């Protein structure tokens, strides 16, 4: 009689589903889009992860961006251990927060003043409140497929998990709240001009992922970003760059440095916490002065500026300022992307890929998409086949055709070569599905 062995992973998922909705604490993790059982992890080091059953993976999620120097970097871990000895939280100011604000201001000079929070969601939600308080206007503009966290006003035509499950709008958001959110197509300059000419003076702010990482990777057209900047300035609307993903990852100074466009406000997360929960929002001093206790816009948080989380972020930001850090990260990510394109070509699979800094996108369609509509042209079944074959080979990619991938400084040439060899096998499987 055949004995079926149940893995620790399967047991954990089975039990988790009894107590945690869907067995996960963030929907994309549930593998619903690609099918199968989510992987439960217990250890990470450098570019590698180990699951609860001891299987090794090369990690291309990197906690969705924060682990830019690799998992369990000794410098980060040591600093966190040391600072933890002094207490985990004060709920009062520390010098570490000032150090972080100074560093953010140095690396992202458009952030003249900064406030620290505990997540990207808090950062975007708070930035919008400040923009509305500053302008006295209500309308907020976002772009289809962009994801800015899960606050009510931003769950309209959103990307990431909502796109993964094919429901770009969330239940539970009152129609009256969503009515203030206007959505436009990404990279559609004409639509932008039309909206501003119709109601530019009612728009409080425009929030954008300057490189989108939440509907797979979508790169902006320069003309689109420049027009956006000009229109916001002309109509007195606050331009918010959501750099939660792109901050310190596509360039040391974020996408705003890469494209040389200065937003009025910026939101940050992920890398600035080095893997612990930190977010930040900031920008022009006249706008940020609207915040309590100086102004009438309220925003607060018990764990905001948490000393342990801020220390992990400070050490990570220290490490990424090493000479050539971003040049190397960019080159390594490009090497991966080029190898994958070549492997797909050899297998005769319709595929494309691209990267910006340490972020990459994989598309099972002819050309790299420039909008939500084009992203939807990617063959989801092919992605799913590819994903599972890669997972079997020990390559951990985002479990959805609509998420970007992330490379860290710990990814070696050997890691990239191993990944491309695994991809050859995966593309050969996809080719049989033609
Ligand atoms: N929203 C994240 C990806 N764009 C996923 C977060 C998570 O599951 O950890």
């Amino acid at each position: 009689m055949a004995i079926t062995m149940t893995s620790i992973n399967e047991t954990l998922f089975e039990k988790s589903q009894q107590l945690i909705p869907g067995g996960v604490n963030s929907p994309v993790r549930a593998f619903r889009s690609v099918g199968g059982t989510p992987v439960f992890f217990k250890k990470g080091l450098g570019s590698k992860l180990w699951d609860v059953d001891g299987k090794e993976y090369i990690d291309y999620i990197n906690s969705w961006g924060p682990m830019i120097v690799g998992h369990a970097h000794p410098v980060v871990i040591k600093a966190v251990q040391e600072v933890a000895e002094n207490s985990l939280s004060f709920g009062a100011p520390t010098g570490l927060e000032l150090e972080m604000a100074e560093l953010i201001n140095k690396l992202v000079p458009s952030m003249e003043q900064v406030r620290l929070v505990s997540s990207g969601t808090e950062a975007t939600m708070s930035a919008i409140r400040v923009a509305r308080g500053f302008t006295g206007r209500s309308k907020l503009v976002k772009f289809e497929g962009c994801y800015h966290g899960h606050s009510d006003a931003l769950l309209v035509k959103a990307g990431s998990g909502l796109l993964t499950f094919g429901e770009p709008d969330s239940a539970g958001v009152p129609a009256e709240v969503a009515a203030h959110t206007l959505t436009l197509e990404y990279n559609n300059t004409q639509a932008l001009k039309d909206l501003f000419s119709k109601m530019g003076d009612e728009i409080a702010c425009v929030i954008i992922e300057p490189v989108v990482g939440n509907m797979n990777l979508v790169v902006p057209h320069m003309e689109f970003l420049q027009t956006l900047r000009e229109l916001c300035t002309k109509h007195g609307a606050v331009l918010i760059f959501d750099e939660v993903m792109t901050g310190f990852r596509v360039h040391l100074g974020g996408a705003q440095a890469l494209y040389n466009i200065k937003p009025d406000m910026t939101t940050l997360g992920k890398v600035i916490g080095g893997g612990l929960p930190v977010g930040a929002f900031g920008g022009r001093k006249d706008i940020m002065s609207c915040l309590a206790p100086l102004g009438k816009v309220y925003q607060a948080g018990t764990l905001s500026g948490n000393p342990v989380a801020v220390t992990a972020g400070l050490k990570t930001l220290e490490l990424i300022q090493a000479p050539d850090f971003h040049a190397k990260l960019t080159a390594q990510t490009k090497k991966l992307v080029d190898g994958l394109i070549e492997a797909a070509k050899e297998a005769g699979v319709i595929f494309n890929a691209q990267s910006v800094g340490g972020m990459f996108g994989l598309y099972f369609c002819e050309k790299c998409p420039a909008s939500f509509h084009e992203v939807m042209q990617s063959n989801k079944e092919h992605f799913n086949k590819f994903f599972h074959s890669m997972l079997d080979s020990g390559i951990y990619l985002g479990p959805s055709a609509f998420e970007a991938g992330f490379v860290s400084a710990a990814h070696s040439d050997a890691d990239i070569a191993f990944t491309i060899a695994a991809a050859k096998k995966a593309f050969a499987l996809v080719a049989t599905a033609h």
Side-chain angles (χ1 to χ4, degrees):
M1 193 177 76
I3 301 171
T4 334
M5 297 282 286
T6 308
S7 66
I8 301 173
N9 199 96
E10 279 163 23
T11 308
L12 287 179
F13 187 48
E14 187 57 42
K15 287 189 179 165
S16 292
Q17 289 177 90
Q18 309 305 317
L19 288 166
I20 302 173
V24 292
N25 285 311
S26 192
V28 179
R29 300 179 193 179
F31 273 40
R32 289 281 169 105
S33 172
V34 290
T37 307
V39 186
F40 283 58
F41 289 103
K42 73 164 178 231
K43 186 177 159 65
L45 188 64
S47 61
K48 307 276 175 26
L49 292 176
W50 287 268
D51 70 16
V52 285
D53 291 301
K55 180 172 171 175
E56 184 178 300
Y57 302 82
I58 299 174
D59 182 20
Y60 288 105
I61 296 188
N62 283 289
S63 188
W64 305 97
M67 311 316 292
I68 194 165
V69 296
H71 289 275
H73 193 291
V75 171
V76 179
I77 299 299
K78 183 164 174 279
V80 163
Q81 283 168 340
E82 280 170 11
V83 80
E85 307 244 329
N86 297 333
S87 178
L88 299 180
S89 181
F90 302 108
T94 65
L96 292 165
E97 294 162 67
L98 171 61
E99 248 184 80
M100 179 59 98
E102 281 172 339
L103 190 51
I104 290 175
N105 172 258
K106 178 183 135 195
L107 300 177
V108 189
S110 71
M111 297 177 80
E112 295 167 6
Q113 287 206 329
V114 184
R115 181 158 282 177
L116 299 181
V117 290
S118 298
S119 69
T121 289
E122 269 187 84
T124 53
M125 180 182 77
S126 310
I128 283 161
R129 190 178 304 139
V130 177
R132 283 174 162 160
F134 175 73
T135 56
R137 305 172 184 175
S138 302
K139 295 282 181 246
L140 133 72
V141 179
K142 74 176 283 292
F143 297 91
E144 204 177 359
C146 283
Y147 177 76
H148 306 285
H150 61 91
S151 64
D152 285 356
L154 290 164
L155 289 182
V156 180
K157 294 200 180 169
S160 191
L162 292 100
L163 194 48
T164 296
F165 302 117
E167 283 291 343
D169 303 319
S170 169
V173 175
E176 296 81 351
V177 174
H180 291 294
T181 305
L182 310 168
T183 45
L184 292 176
E185 186 182 44
Y186 199 83
N187 273 329
N188 187 335
T189 308
Q190 192 53 49
L192 204 54
K193 286 182 182 163
D194 292 347
L195 182 75
F196 268 94
S197 74
K198 210 163 82 192
M199 54 191 309
D201 300 344
E202 292 171 51
I203 297 170
C205 58
V206 181
I207 186 163
I208 185 166
E209 288 185 84
V211 173
V212 193
N214 282 292
M215 54 169 159
N216 209 323
L217 183 85
V218 173
V219 176
H221 297 156
M222 267 321 283
E223 184 221 5
F224 171 70
L225 281 188
Q226 277 158 351
T227 307
L228 177 59
R229 176 62 279 179
E230 281 160 23
L231 288 171
C232 284
T233 305
K234 182 169 163 211
H235 292 271
V238 175
L239 176 58
I240 306 170
F241 270 14
D242 179 353
E243 298 233 40
V244 167
M245 266 191 187
T246 53
F248 313 110
R249 177 165 274 284
V250 297
H251 186 284
L252 183 58
Q256 53 197 274
L258 187 66
Y259 299 121
N260 195 23
I261 297 207
K262 189 176 171 188
D264 302 306
M265 294 188 79
T266 301
T267 59
L268 297 171
K270 303 198 191 278
V271 169
I272 48 162
L276 288 179
V278 181
F281 65 100
R284 277 168 38 193
K285 201 169 177 171
D286 56 337
I287 300 176
M288 290 299 284
S289 305
C290 293
L291 267 179
L294 298 180
K296 291 193 171 155
V297 177
Y298 197 72
Q299 179 279 332
T302 299
L303 296 177
S304 295
N306 174 270
V308 184
V310 165
T311 297
L314 282 171
K315 282 294 153 192
T316 302
L317 293 182
E318 198 176 294
L319 290 164
I320 68 168
Q321 288 179 74
D324 290 339
F325 180 93
H326 285 86
K328 283 186 199 148
L329 183 68
T330 301
Q332 203 68 332
T333 313
K334 176 99 174 41
K335 198 183 286 176
L336 171 73
V337 157
D338 288 347
L340 293 176
I341 293 174
E342 194 52 42
K345 206 184 282 171
E346 276 169 29
V349 171
I350 295 170
F351 174 84
N352 216 327
Q354 66 182 340
S355 59
V356 183
M359 280 170 87
F360 65 87
L362 312 178
Y363 325 96
F364 284 82
C365 52
E366 296 281 359
K367 64 172 196 161
C368 296
S371 66
F372 171 79
H373 171 74
E374 289 181 12
V375 164
M376 297 316 281
Q377 310 305 310
S378 188
N379 188 320
K380 199 166 154 284
E381 283 68 42
H382 286 189
F383 173 81
N384 291 356
K385 230 180 180 50
F386 179 78
F387 170 85
H388 276 293
S389 172
M390 293 295 269
L391 192 67
D392 287 348
S393 300
I395 308 295
Y396 189 57
L397 296 166
S400 161
F402 306 117
E403 297 286 355
F406 303 90
V407 170
S408 81
H411 284 74
S412 64
D413 286 346
D415 289 332
I416 304 291
F418 186 89
T419 307
I420 292 166
K424 287 187 179 171
K425 225 167 83 187
F427 282 127
L429 258 177
V430 173
T432 63
H434 276 177

